[in-house]
Each structure stands twice: as structure tokens, then as C-alpha cells.
Amino acid sequence: MTLLAVERIKLFTTRSPWWCTLIALVLTIGFGALMAGTSDEAIAPLNVAATQFGYGFGLVVVMVMATLAITTEYRFSTIRATFLAVPNRPSTLVAKATVVAVLAAVVGEIAAFGSWGIAGAIKPNVDLAINTAYEWRAVAGVGLVYALSAVVAVAVGVLIRHSAGAIAVLLIWNQLVEPLVQLIPRVGDDIHKWMPFNIANKLVTGNPDPTTRDVLQGPPPSDAVLGPWPAIGVFAAFAAVLLGIAIVVANRRDA
């Protein structure tokens, strides 16, 4: 508990988590409001999925926040003092990943329900009730995806240690590698179905999707072959393995 308290204090006494949290909330809720304000009931009726249009933008910002939480310690060499005070490096890094993941989950839930709420306020006559399992996952599932993605970001930050490099790797993978891998002839689509962030998105966009929405309404549907809950389980395992690798590497090299 002491380690968790220390990591919480270190996280909230720097500016980057506050700014990233604000930006993530403004982006996701802002896009929710934009989707509600521009929706046309005759062409593309507003639905629960559409309110989460900004989900991916908020995810990027949350991963940047999680990366900075560890890489700034390497940049200013405060990680050395941390490891001197607590020689058990795995405990320290797990505590940091836990605190960052909890913050990411809270941001994700506020962003998701905030987007849904503001859309309902803008279009009070539209039925945006959360009734089905799919609709609950589309909104409440955002926090879980954000939390696990934050763990992935912390692990990458530990491995690379430089803010710009770690952020570049995460953004290039999430925004370029996974979408563009589908362009590989014959095997691209099969590979894409097992890409980690595509698998994670299955929880939020996975079947059954009763809205039969256009792909431009809300986050792009995942084509992962697993069901929503097995998919997020695989992504959680991926995050855990990557964090484990990062801990082993951190134990073997100088801070």
C-alpha cells in the first residue's frame, strides 16, 4: 500500500497527467457532442455506439500519459532514487502500472459516460438508453480498454526509457501498423484479426451489434475472431506479458 501511495503522489504532483486527462476528456466528450449535434435522424440516426466516436482519440492521449509517467522518471533520473529506496524493482514497477491503470480506467469511464450523457442532453428525444449487453460494453468497456492500454504503455516506456521514442512506437503501432497490415496480400486480413489493439477494441465494438450502424458512426468495428470477453482477456494477457518482459529488462540493466 505504501508503494501505491508513493506512486500516486508522484503521478499527481506532475503536470502531464492533469493535462492529458483534460485533453482526453475534452476530445472524447467533444466528439460525442459533435456526433449528436450533427446527426440526421433521416440518414444516420444517433445511437449509443455513435456517442463513443471519440474513444480512439482519448485512448491515444491516455497512452501518452501512461508513457510519460515512467519515461519522465528516466529523463530526470528520479527512477534511480526510487530504486535505491525500494530495491525490489518489480514491486515498484507493478505499483506504478497499477496506479496509472486505475487513473486510465477512471478517465475512460468519465469520458465514455460523459460522451453518452452529453449526446442525450443535446438530443433528448433520441432513445439512447443502455439496455443490451453490447451497449453496456460500448460505454462501460472503455475504461477497461484504457486501463490495459495504459499498462502496455508503461511497459513500452520501461523498455525504451525515452519519452519521444516510446510514444512514437505506441502511436505508430496503434495508428499505422495495425490498420496498414491489412494491405499485405493474402495474409494481411488474417494477421490484422490478431493485432493487440484490434483485439482490445472487440470489447467495445464487438458482436452482437444490434444497431447495424455505418462504420463511420462510432469506433470502427473490430474484426477479431474472438468474442468480446475472450478478446479482452487475450489483450490483458498481452499487457501482463509485456509488463513482465519490461520488469525483467529493468532488473538486468542500470537505472
Side-chain angles (χ1 to χ4, degrees):
M1 293 301 293
T2 302
L3 276 176
L4 292 174
V6 169
E7 293 301 331
R8 175 181 55 80
I9 293 170
K10 287 197 294 184
L11 182 64
F12 288 107
T13 51
T14 56
R15 294 180 181 178
S16 59
W18 295 103
W19 279 109
C20 288
T21 296
L22 178 62
I23 293 171
L25 293 178
V26 169
L27 277 175
T28 51
I29 296 175
F31 273 112
L34 182 63
M35 289 297 291
T38 59
S39 64
D40 187 334
E41 294 306 304
I43 301 175
L46 182 66
N47 52 53
V48 172
T51 67
Q52 304 304 310
F53 183 84
Y55 150 79
F57 300 99
L59 177 62
V60 168
V61 178
V62 165
M63 287 197 296
V64 170
M65 178 271 293
T67 305
L68 292 175
I70 183 65
T71 56
T72 50
E73 288 215 54
Y74 282 104
R75 177 185 177 188
F76 295 107
S77 298
T78 56
I79 195 71
R80 295 179 182 176
T82 299
F83 286 159
L84 285 173
V86 185
N88 189 339
R89 295 185 181 185
S91 296
T92 300
L93 294 176
V94 168
K96 180 176 288 295
T98 301
V99 170
V100 173
V102 170
L103 174 59
V106 172
V107 172
E109 294 302 316
I110 294 174
F113 280 96
S115 299
W116 170 74
I118 198 169
I122 293 173
K123 289 292 180 69
N125 296 325
V126 177
D127 181 14
L128 293 178
I130 302 177
N131 296 315
T132 67
Y134 163 75
E135 290 167 339
W136 275 110
R137 291 196 311 270
V139 181
V142 171
L144 181 55
V145 175
Y146 277 21
L148 294 174
S149 298
V151 174
V152 170
V154 170
V156 172
V158 172
L159 291 170
I160 298 179
R161 299 197 288 185
H162 298 285
S163 298
I167 292 171
V169 167
L170 286 166
L171 297 192
I172 289 172
W173 183 271
N174 181 262
Q175 300 296 311
L176 291 178
V177 173
E178 290 205 3
L180 294 180
V181 76
Q182 298 176 88
L183 299 179
I184 300 175
R186 291 193 287 184
V187 298
D189 289 337
D190 292 331
I191 294 174
H192 183 257
K193 292 175 182 178
W194 293 99
M195 291 286 97
F197 289 103
N198 180 50
I199 290 177
N201 288 342
K202 189 74 171 184
L203 179 69
V204 177
T205 67
N207 61 316
D209 181 346
T211 62
T212 61
R213 62 186 172 92
D214 186 271
V215 294
L216 297 179
Q217 288 185 285
S222 169
D223 62 353
V225 296
L226 299 173
W229 290 110
I232 200 64
V234 169
F235 186 64
F238 169 76
V241 169
L242 193 60
L243 181 62
I245 293 171
I247 289 172
V248 170
V249 172
N251 263 331
R252 292 185 175 180
R253 68 186 179 193
D254 294 335

